[in-house]
Amino acid sequence: MAEAADFQGTRPSPARRWLRRTASAVLGAPLLAGLLAVPAAGAAPAVEPAKAPTGSRTVDVSLNTLSPSVPAEDDTLTVSGTLTNKGKETISSAEVDLRVGPRLSGRGEVDDAAKRSAYLPGVDPATAGDKYTVKFPKLARGISQDFTLTMPVDKLGLDDPGVYQLGVSVSGRTTTTPYEQVLGIERSYLPWQPETSDSRTKLTFLWPLIASPHVTAETRSDEQQTPVFTDDDLAEELAPGGRLEQLVSLGSRLPVTWVVDPDLLASVAAMAGKYEVESGDTTVPGKNQAVAKQWLTALEKVVEDGKVVALPFADPDLASIAHRGKNVSGTLSHLQNASAVAATTVETILHVKPSTDFAWPVNGAVDSSIVDVATSAGAHNVIARSDSFRETTELPYTPTASRPIGGGTTAVVADARLSTLFDGDMSRAGASTRAVQRFLAQTLALTEQTPDNERSIVVTPPRMPTAAQAQTMARALEGLAGNRWTQPLDLVAAAEVKPDPRATTKVPRASAYPKKLRAQELPTQAFQDIRTTQGSLDSFETILTQPERVVTPFGNAVNRSMSTSWRGRSLEAQQYRDSVRDYLQSLTSEVQLIEKSDVTLSGRSATIPVTVQNKLVQGVDRLVLQLSSDNIRLKFNDDGSMAELPVRIAGGHSQSVKFDTATSANGRAQVTARLYTEDGTQYGEEMTFTVKVSEVTPTVLLVIAGGLLLLVLAGIRMYSHRKRAVAGDTANGNGDGPEQPSDPTPDTGPESGAPSGTGEKVDR
């Protein structure tokens, strides 16, 4: 009958076709079941191959575009997509049909419609008719075909305003099933609101500008302190078509609240000037200044009249701090510092005054400890999400976002269903279109819940959206243009909206925090590493004449070590913390004691010099050099076995610090030199050397004097004897004078050309 109808060029009505297909399915099912229930006699069991999709899942239908997303009465609806035959047989006489209806009642029905994948006779509506179909003679297996359906909106049968189900199905025949059947279907939504609603929902959409850390603690020694980047990947995100460029370009025409990480602004501002990039064991000059300048200029222009919310510097992970870091000394002070510098950074770079009164935990998941940490840093508003902040009693509607939770703190609870719609891969056209239409459908269904109860809803998209996610989000917001059932509201105003008295204000317990999120947190060791680094920095800072050149870059690096972006990247996080620590150690070791050889003292008193070297560009001050001896008979400055002298050295110089010593006996003494800061903290490694005391006593001096006297007397006697001998020779007539004897052979060896010993002799 179906074949005859097609041959004659006619087509039965949708209702008749539905009855015919249903009857065929009902009558054929028992027969087919009977045939399948009787196995061939003696047939050995065989391993079944992987089954190809069958029935209404045979063809994968992707809806790539639906335009307009929110149609008006005089519009023409255009739906385009792709068909892919995933079955084992070629499909013949394939027809693509549009199915509109029924009207969905409430957000729950919108969700339920999204869960269905198979065609359901009696539930899925009839096709729109032959005039609005697309036909394909065949669909070969594994082959995809594009299609486009168009239909005037006034022919869709849309009545009352609301959300209508829209489906695109493909029917056809195969060799196995030569009768016409639905082989694939994809559903979407068609929001229908031809006129502006009297009741509109206030909608707040956050637009995040957040990136992972790219700047190290290292700076060059020039006056500008040229920064060093770990890589040049940030430039790719800022360049045309990049993630951050798309966020600024798309957000410039949307009613959104900008949520900015000040570290991103500081990093781009650094890139706009002279910067270097790590490359193996060295660095190379950065070359993307133009890209950075262009992005900053565009952003500054966009936000000059908009609302900007500044997160704490480097977007610290509040949950990690609350669960693993707050008991490590110094962690909360780092968070407070990150909050304090946020406003200054944004104002300096963008020339707008941001709101710094908001905390945004990961995925809006909160518990009491997270709220406590957030408020300790100065926030009075915590951005949560409804899948964390669950209602204690079932409400027939979605309540307003703002909730007072005590202590002057407000929880701004974002809608989880709307906020998670843009997760996942939005680079596929079908996924993007599905997210857009579902977002529009959910917002309209939400508004229709209680038309007389105007509410305020907040949407928190992915923290670091991809370019494809940003484009999908923009399309969804553009679909709300005209404010037919929503009106935009900034986040600051949303936090001040009168709360719903029926909405829960109970903060979840710590045990309710999602295990998956907890597993991604920074470990306690991370905060202990940060504490160690900060301790070294505090000690180093006290001796510098220009501490700001070190404190600022290292303070920012410490904040970056707590960034939310390290979640799921534990190895990279550890490497970053190690690099900060190692570079700080390399700087502190530039101020050190020079190794000293052993010293020999001759006499009761002498001066011992100890050299301190400063290889830093800037000077050091407020250092104390201490010498101590393990021999009480060796005294320094007549005070005892320990002495201290101040140290002040210009950049790139060394200083020899001289200590007066006194001794009362011969022997050896082990002397230790240590550097200390003014507060008594040891600085750097200590240095030891040996002092050998070799004193000349009075008795020895008398013996030496007696010996010298004997030598003088002997010389006089020899001279007199020789004079008499010369006189006798003259009397005997030897007028030429006596023959001069040759010089006697010396009784000492030749002077040694070998180097002297390693000892260092210090005379009086």
Side-chain angles (χ1 to χ4, degrees), residues 442-492:
Q442 282 285 356
T443 54
L444 179 53
L446 187 153
T447 302
E448 290 184 324
Q449 287 175 337
T450 55
D452 297 331
N453 181 15
E454 190 175 89
R455 286 152 293 150
S456 170
I457 304 300
V458 174
V459 179
T460 55
R463 203 176 198 87
M464 290 194 289
T466 64
Q469 288 173 333
Q471 292 162 1
T472 303
M473 289 151 48
R475 287 175 52 201
L477 288 174
E478 287 167 351
L480 295 176
N483 301 331
R484 299 189 206 179
W485 62 86
T486 63
Q487 61 183 29
L489 186 70
D490 66 80
L491 182 61
V492 175

Side-chain angles (χ1 to χ4, degrees), residues 519-531:
Q520 297 175 346
E521 292 175 348
L522 291 170
T524 302
Q525 183 62 47
F527 298 99
Q528 293 172 343
D529 292 344
I530 292 171
R531 178 183 60 188

Side-chain angles (χ1 to χ4, degrees), residues 569-619:
R569 302 165 57 209
S570 58
L571 178 59
E572 293 94 327
Q574 181 69 59
Q575 290 172 339
Y576 186 85
R577 295 194 303 272
D578 290 347
S579 69
V580 175
R581 178 202 61 205
D582 293 346
Y583 181 59
L584 180 58
Q585 289 178 347
S586 71
L587 288 182
T588 57
S589 64
E590 299 284 48
V591 180
Q592 61 181 344
L593 294 166
I594 299 299
E595 287 294 328
K596 188 174 184 63
S597 58
D598 294 345
V599 175
T600 300
L601 298 183
S602 299
R604 291 181 179 276
S605 62
T607 299
I608 298 179
V610 177
T611 303
V612 184
Q613 185 180 50
N614 175 21
K615 294 182 180 180
L616 297 172
V617 175
Q618 63 173 298

Side-chain angles (χ1 to χ4, degrees), residues 748-764:
T748 59
E751 182 177 350
S752 174
S756 61
T758 59
E760 181 179 351
K761 184 175 180 181
V762 180
D763 295 325
R764 291 181 292 175

Side-chain angles (χ1 to χ4, degrees), residues 396-417:
Y397 59 87
T398 302
T400 285
S402 64
R403 320 277 178 88
I405 56 176
T409 304
T410 298
V412 182
V413 183
D415 186 82
R417 279 186 281 189

